[in-house]
Amino acid sequence: MAIDTTPSVPDALDTPRLSTRDKLVLFVLCAAQFMVALDFSVLNVALPVLGADLGMSQSALQWAVTAFALPSGGFLLLFGRMGDLYGRRKLFLSGLVLFGAASLLATLAWDPASFLAGRALQGLGAAAIVPTGMSLLTTTFPEGPARDRALGISGTLLSLGFTVGMVAGGTLTDTLGWRSTMGLLTLFALIVLPLAPALLPESRTPDRPRLDVPGAITVTGGLLALIYALSTAADHGFGRVDVVAGLVAGLLLLAAFVKVESRSAQPLVSLPMLRRRTVAWGNIGGLVTFSMMSTVVFVLTLYLQEILHLSAFETGLVFGVQGVLSAVAGTYAPRVIGRFGPRRTLVGSLVGQGALIAALLGLDTGHWSVWLATAAVSLASMC
């Protein structure tokens, strides 16, 4: 489902001109967010080449993605609150240092263990960069046209990062090898890090809310357990003891999180807000879409290169088309929502996505399958 998150653009006469310092601050924050978005996609098309070089089986390749997703998703809420308490600038810089060092480790990886360690540390750095970066952006630029403009630029670059990552990943892999995809992220960190300390102001919540330790432990532990269990089940099935234990522990911890948050005076997450119908449906739709499309991209990457023998560059172009059409659809999404309403738009989009992804069941070893795959994933991303 394509949703345009770009704020409405104010009239040009009312939009203030940004000072040189404001532009540099915006560059630093947007470059960091773009770097993280790039990391979500730049490695995908390089997976077959990476696996062959490091001796990773196809079933183990999913950990190249999962090792990043586990900490980046699991620690996001915790690091966001820690930034509020102890300083967003401080945590943002710490995340940048960790992300850059981890990217260098992944670039120089000598075996699967060292590479996966680098990916996991990248995810931990991203979990610190994303929430603190967005908070710094909203606190640096005053509410109104200036903030709207900054958020618009940031949202555009985030969306662009996923598309650029696919195309850049294929190009770099075919020309310089898979290690250059991780080297590109190291370069981004080296560009941003020297500028950030001098430009970014410190920012924290004035009333110094308490860190909801029980909530942080239960939600982080629950997410980590569930992601681990589902990732392991994809390789070994749901019958393994560690998979069952992970699922049970994850569900129990998340149930405990809900109970803790309902009693906490300063919760990590506002449960009444999550119970709002529009928020709940939006979260469900986002969960379905993200999990479905992430799986499709991973499987199609292996299919296009291992079965249809496309190069990494050609595979990147397939997903590049998807990204471009998704961005185009995002510009029309507000009109569609305005005409049909949020609920009808969401349901229609999910049904459309499901039908288009189901069409991939018709793929075989024929070269025409490239066109079917391109059309299906591109149209699905527009829904």
Side-chain angles (χ1 to χ4, degrees), residues 1 3 277-287 346:
M1 179 185 64
I3 299 178
R277 186 171 297 178
T278 53
V279 175
W281 277 105
N283 285 335
I284 291 171
L287 175 64
L346 177 61

Side-chain angles (χ1 to χ4, degrees), residues 358-379:
L360 295 175
L361 294 172
L363 295 175
D364 58 23
T365 57
H367 201 67
W368 64 271
S369 292
V370 175
W371 301 105
L372 173 58
T374 304
V377 297
S378 298
L379 292 175

